[in-house]
Amino acid sequence: MTAEVRTLAALEFKGRMITVTVLRVLEPTLSVLARDLDRRLAEAPELLRGLPTLLDLDAVSASLDSLDICGLVRLLLERGITPIGVRSPSAQMSALAKKGGLLAITSDGTDVIRRFAESKVQMTAAPVTPAKSPALLITHPVRSGQQVYAPEGDLIITSSVSAGAEILADGHVHVYGPLRGRVMAGLRGDTSARIFALHLDPELVAIAGNYRISEYIEDRERGDNMQVYLHGESLKIEKIKS
Amino acid sequence: MGKTTTSASFATGLAQAGHRTAVVDFDVGLRNLDLIMGVERRVVYDFVNVIHGDASLKQALIKDKRVDGLYILPASQTRDKDALSHEGVGRVLSELAAEFDYVICDSPAGIERGALMAAYFADEAIVVTNPEVSSVRDSDRILGILASKTQRAERGDSPMPGRLLLTRYAPARVIKGEMLSVDDVLEILAIDMLGVIPESLSVLNASNAGLPVILDDDSDAGQAYQDAVARFLGDERPHRFMSVPKKGLLERLLGG
Ligand SMILES: Nc1ncnc2c1ncn2[C@@H]1O[C@H](COP(=O)(O)OP(=O)(O)O)[C@@H](O)[C@H]1O
Ligand SMILES: [Mg+2]
């Protein structure tokens, strides 16, 4: 991801793109939302934790009166999800956002980046490469119930990842062994992150918050020498071509 | 399934090989080991009594009458899980370690306190697994705990050596696809194998008689345990009981 910096006297604007998760609310009843959310989180507990999340209320626009926005915010916070605003809100949604202490966000930021790029603004400072940790190297098996996370960098595992284990990285994930657990690359939104495995038979794969659970991973997407990457918003799982 | 059966036979085998051995039952509330060792009528004090200081180790240890140098420390019948305090278990185990060549800790099932305590102070692990997906998954979890939540791991020492003992193995059912094969299990767990113990009626007979099955020289399971103990002590022995036994002519004629 490119980062553009314009230096001012006492502060600087960073046009860095961060990915936010959009949470589409399809139902106004809190108890139903809570149950569904808990089920989702059980599938992928680390997926949403701490990630900034925008609420999309379009699907419940007809029943906004019965939506307890403060209750919803509390429910999300309790589960480690950080709601920051309501996406493309109508007037009524903006009011609701205000009531819930949320921002009304009219753009998701991508059009701003595009405008920057198109206007070819001369930048005074050189592009800043985001700080990156060296890769985290794990040489032992990651067993069921264990979790390994490589913050700000890549994760390399030269052993097996069992079913019931969870491996996460802000960068790419490489597994030189069978990968049977849950795997998430680009945890903080790097959509260019990829997953590579000598043998892929996972319970869940995710890149930058786009995920697929085992049920939706087909047989031909399992096997030796596989990679997972993001193409637009869809996850591609395919053999590494040599 | 098979942890207590294995603990009893292993401890017996080590003592038979001339090593002073104590076997400790960590299954507070269930107390099975003394039955399988045939000493249930000689229990006076137990592990929890020793931890609480109500009895000395010497008073609580039961001396086996069949094999020299073999002692049993029974579990308590009380259901108080917290009785196995970290500090208390550590103290009793180091007292045992000073006295014995080997201390076998018979872990309860699961990953609760008893199991964690049985594993925490260990130098080496024998992971008892059945050839079923759920059992293998549990073993994988235990291996993870051994690698991260034991004294060895916390001190940053080299990882605890853990070896697989695959028990209740029935080759005929493997062929029918009803059980995982040795190779399947090894592929999933990726650890060294100490032995395969066949599913055998002799185990039930032995435990009903209060006799560790390793003492039954005629039984396949007994022989498999003898092999496993020998391998543990450094002998090289080929693995047996991994394929369907060939039927005798008479059995074939009778369609047995
Ligand atoms: N190799 C075997 N063949 C047949 N039955 C076995 C075998 N090993 C254990 N069993 C039986 O399984 C049951 C549980 O064994 P046990 O050793 O008490 O398991 P655990 O201590 O793991 O709960 C007992 O009834 C025992 O007789
Ligand atoms: Mg037991």
Side-chain angles (χ1 to χ4, degrees):
Chain A
M1 219 153 293
T2 55
E4 291 155 321
V5 176
R6 227 190 307 206
T7 311
L8 297 178
L11 38 78
E12 69 180 19
F13 280 109
K14 275 198 158 186
R16 181 155 187 262
M17 198 167 101
I18 61 162
T19 302
V20 295
T21 303
V22 175
L23 187 65
R24 288 189 68 207
V25 179
L26 305 176
E27 156 71 53
T29 318
L30 279 191
S31 57
V32 179
L33 287 171
R35 195 179 30 164
D36 219 47
L37 195 59
D38 285 337
R39 221 180 37 228
R40 287 302 178 82
L41 289 176
E43 284 165 6
E46 287 306 313
L47 213 57
L48 295 166
R49 192 162 298 159
L51 278 187
T53 301
L54 276 185
L55 302 182
D56 180 333
L57 301 178
D58 285 351
V60 289
S61 57
S63 43
L64 285 177
D65 288 340
S66 53
L67 178 66
D68 168 10
I69 189 75
C70 297
L72 178 58
V73 168
R74 211 175 318 116
L75 188 149
L76 293 172
L77 287 174
E78 277 167 7
R79 287 162 179 76
I81 299 167
T82 316
I84 55 172
V86 175
R87 181 199 205 188
S88 320
S90 62
Q92 195 191 357
M93 287 178 201
S94 293
L96 212 55
K98 202 167 167 192
K99 190 171 155 205
L102 300 173
L103 302 170
I105 301 209
T106 45
S107 112
D108 60 6
T110 47
D111 54 335
V112 179
I113 300 282
R114 207 177 314 115
R115 265 187 322 224
F116 255 134
E118 280 163 7
S119 66
K120 295 194 182 70
V121 181
Q122 279 293 317
M123 294 295 151
T124 52
V128 174
T129 25
K132 223 178 169 205
S133 312
L136 176 62
L137 175 67
I138 302 288
T139 57
H140 56 77
V142 185
R143 305 276 184 189
S144 174
Q146 291 186 309
Q147 189 191 61
V148 176
Y149 173 39
E152 289 166 34
D154 297 349
L155 176 59
I156 303 170
I157 295 175
T158 60
S159 187
S160 55
V161 178
S162 299
E166 195 168 66
I167 55 171
L168 320 147
D170 287 344
H172 308 289
V173 175
H174 309 254
V175 179
Y176 299 99
L179 199 181
R180 302 196 178 93
R182 298 154 183 266
V183 52
M184 297 169 207
L187 193 68
R188 284 178 206 275
D190 183 353
T191 51
S192 68
R194 292 190 179 205
I195 296 160
F196 305 91
L198 215 53
H199 180 84
L200 187 73
D201 186 14
E203 294 172 311
L204 176 146
V205 294
I207 291 174
N210 297 271
Y211 70 97
R212 244 200 277 167
I213 55 173
S214 186
E215 208 177 18
Y216 300 110
I217 299 173
E218 292 176 34
D219 283 348
R220 62 175 172 77
E221 295 174 316
R222 302 170 187 272
D224 294 342
N225 302 316
M226 302 298 284
Q227 66 168 327
V228 186
Y229 61 93
L230 207 51
H231 183 76
E233 286 199 347
S234 77
L235 278 179
K236 297 277 180 216
I237 309 177
E238 57 186 39
K239 260 209 175 351
I240 301 169
K241 294 176 198 93
S242 52
Chain B
M1 258 203 261
K3 295 180 295 298
T4 300
T5 302
T6 300
S7 299
S9 279
F10 239 80
T12 305
L14 290 170
Q16 280 182 310
H19 303 284
R20 281 178 63 75
T21 303
V23 55
V24 183
D25 191 347
F26 275 77
D27 208 343
V28 172
L30 280 179
R31 223 181 92 180
N32 259 331
L33 181 69
D34 49 318
L35 285 171
I36 292 187
M37 296 292 296
V39 299
E40 77 278 9
R41 297 204 292 196
R42 294 165 57 205
V43 175
V44 184
Y45 296 111
D46 59 52
F47 191 13
V48 172
N49 292 139
V50 181
I51 288 175
H52 287 166
D54 304 333
S56 69
L57 202 47
K58 212 179 161 131
Q59 288 173 305
L61 281 172
I62 302 171
K63 187 176 175 350
D64 190 89
K65 286 187 173 158
R66 292 166 295 227
V67 182
D68 255 2
L70 177 60
Y71 291 80
I72 298 104
L73 183 57
S76 158
Q77 292 278 39
T78 61
R79 293 212 149 259
D80 182 10
K81 279 189 194 157
D82 296 330
L84 295 181
S85 72
H86 201 277
E87 181 271 329
V89 171
R91 186 165 33 80
V92 176
L93 286 182
S94 58
E95 221 177 302
L96 284 167
E99 181 105 359
F100 290 94
D101 301 328
Y102 289 100
V103 180
I104 307 280
C105 302
D106 178 23
S107 169
I111 49 171
E112 307 244 319
R113 187 166 192 92
L116 295 181
M117 280 298 113
Y120 185 80
F121 298 97
D123 296 312
E124 196 162 337
I126 296 173
V127 178
V128 178
T129 308
N130 302 138
E132 299 159 15
V133 172
S134 62
S135 176
V136 173
R137 176 75 75 97
D138 290 350
S139 298
D140 191 66
R141 214 181 179 100
I142 287 289
L143 284 163
I145 288 171
L146 294 175
S148 58
K149 298 214 167 74
T150 53
Q151 191 173 49
R152 270 183 92 105
E154 284 170 10
R155 285 182 179 161
D157 294 349
S158 62
M160 183 183 302
R163 278 184 282 178
L164 175 71
L165 195 86
L166 190 58
T167 180
R168 308 204 67 166
Y169 196 68
R173 297 191 55 198
V174 174
I175 290 170
K176 285 192 209 149
E178 296 168 357
M179 261 188 190
L180 296 175
S181 70
V182 173
D183 290 341
D184 292 339
V185 177
L186 284 176
E187 217 259 318
I188 297 172
L189 292 181
I191 56 172
D192 292 340
M193 187 169 73
L194 191 57
V196 176
I197 312 295
E199 167 80 24
S200 166
L201 248 182
S202 62
V203 173
L204 188 64
N205 294 336
S207 79
N208 284 340
L211 184 91
V213 71
I214 196 170
L215 292 176
D216 182 355
D217 291 330
D218 296 331
S219 89
D220 47 359
Q223 292 173 17
Y225 275 118
Q226 289 168 5
D227 285 353
V229 172
R231 277 185 214 111
F232 182 83
L233 292 172
D235 257 20
E236 279 194 25
R237 295 207 181 174
H239 289 285
R240 298 193 273 167
F241 314 110
M242 286 169 38
S243 48
V244 183
K246 291 205 173 60
K247 281 180 183 161
L249 182 61
L250 193 62
E251 275 178 280
R252 264 185 284 162
L253 288 176
L254 296 173

